[in-house]
Amino acid sequence: MINFRIVTLHKPFLFFCFLIFFFSLSAQVFPAKNYPKGYFIYPVQAKIALAANFGELRPNHYHMGLDCKTDQKQNARVVAAADGYIAHIRIEPSGFGRSIYINHPNGLTTLYGHLNDFFPELEKYVKEQQYKMESWLVFLDIPPDLFPVKQGQFIAFSGNTGGSQGPHLHFEIRDTKTDKVFNPSLFGFPIPDNVPPTLIRLAVYDRRISTYSQTPKLYVLKKINARLNDAVGQGKYIPASPIIITNTDRVSFGISAVDKYTGSYNPNGIYEAVLYNDDEPVVGFQLDNISYDETRYLNAHIDHKLRASGGPFVEHLSRLPGYPEGVYKDFSGDGIINLEDDSVHQIKAEVKDAYDNISVLQFQVKRGLINENKYKQDLSEQKFSPGFVNVFEREDIQVILGEKDLYDSINFIYAKKTSITPQAVSALHTVHTALVPVHGYYTIRLKTDRSLQNIDDDKIIMQRTWGSKMDVVKPNKEGEWFTGKFREFGNFQLLVDNVPPVISPVGIRDNANLSRLSQIIFTVTDNMKEIKNFRAELDGKWLRFTNDKGRSFIYKFDEMCLPGNHELKVSVEDEAGNVATKIFHFVR
């Protein structure tokens, strides 16, 4: 009894000493960066302020640049960040909308996205190319000597085009040869930041089983007395329970954290986190440079299942088995801590922003009782693992996942029932759960469950649903099988689609006088929500309709429509090949 009381009395004191020691340690485990600071200027003429930073967590991808605010309005002047030449133009309904790529002499490329009009000479050139290609959606390679630019030169007006949710400029810095995207915050832009990241919660995982076979234990974090080795730009956090007892001998951790810069309330993404076990660095991640080929690996960086279930973002402080090194660096393991005895492990997570402000999480972990019955596999389940080709087969379905399609193992779930959809020609197959992410496009093959004697095979589509989301593809017919490729799990069936899209003019009718209108607008809808092609012809010649955000198709009257009588023909095709056509006559 006396010994017990002595140990109890000394724990707070020992833990307090441990905090002072641990928080005084800060090692540079990632190599220092050597980017050209001062080479680029801030790219938009507006108050310097960010809505989002590089590496911020987004659905299925990392945010790949800086979102520069434009004083909450459109048409701020966007300028070239350095000398160079305009190398590419992209126009698309989603993504960056209207964007400019500038190549620079130092081997870097800057990208400017969500733009409105380009400067007049460039706007004229792009329009000519669109008419030449008969396509509003374009990705143009521009000769180097056609549009040279100087630093600070006006290149476009800012906007809200593409996948933007509000007025801003999306700005990126890339390696010209590899297209690798660098973190612009490392290039010395005048953005003041002495605010350390905010740590919100700790997640604890039992790594005897897959991360997808569990819900992590979450611990709210609290910021402790700043007098402990206090410094500007440093935060210190502990969980409410400083000693975590876990009922497994293999454990990993994750954190929820955000960052802010001085004077801003926007919760941005963190830059770096390193996990230490007994003062030895184990694993860390750093959002320094990411390519678009790698950006979907965000789904392995976060607990996707937790987030997709309505939970918070949690970033793994471990590298999942199906994630190549990417943003992670293994120092002495992949982040799984082996609790081989009853000793207490001292754990630290050091979290930084791109301006070297640091927050530190410290706690202890100890192995508790282990229930071995918990780990006995249900023999009725089929296990899929990353690094292998995984196949599931029944008489009317085949699912084939490539070796790089999974991030962690899953106990594959399958169910089948009769479809209640009138157009269905197959059963409804539930293929696992969309809460678990898939990296690549995997193959799914289905057979019909009824005769197709009076059905046109070309009108059969494969549909995936999950909640309110729907995807359709035109499958390939291979004997009795219909084959499609998808990037998410969900509910699958084959449907016959004989319904053409619906073309709805907005504010115009046949034989109308449109002299007072400035534009023509059409909305297009389809029962399967997928529009494959849209084409408009004025007096037999292609006419450019814009389609920003994939909503309405808009033609603004210009020199392509001279005064007089005209015929406008609009044709729309859906994924199944159904075509709708409307012809309008009007006077201009």
Side-chain angles (χ1 to χ4, degrees), residues 173-174 220 350:
I173 300 175
R174 302 183 177 189
V220 176
E350 199 173 74

Side-chain angles (χ1 to χ4, degrees), residues 26 196-197 232-236 350-353 356-360:
S26 178
V232 174
Q234 184 162 351
K236 310 171 183 68
E350 199 173 74
V351 182
K352 294 183 180 181
D353 63 23
D356 286 329
N357 300 300
I358 303 171
S359 288
V360 181

Side-chain angles (χ1 to χ4, degrees), residues 17 28 35 44 49 100 237 364 376 410 424 453 473 478 480 483 520 564 585 588:
C17 295
Q28 181 73 33
Y35 295 128
V44 61
I100 292 175
Y237 294 82
Q364 298 172 319
K376 291 183 179 178
I410 60 173
Q453 185 174 357
V473 302
E478 301 168 345
E480 296 181 293
T483 302
I520 298 174
H585 299 88
R588 179 68 180 165

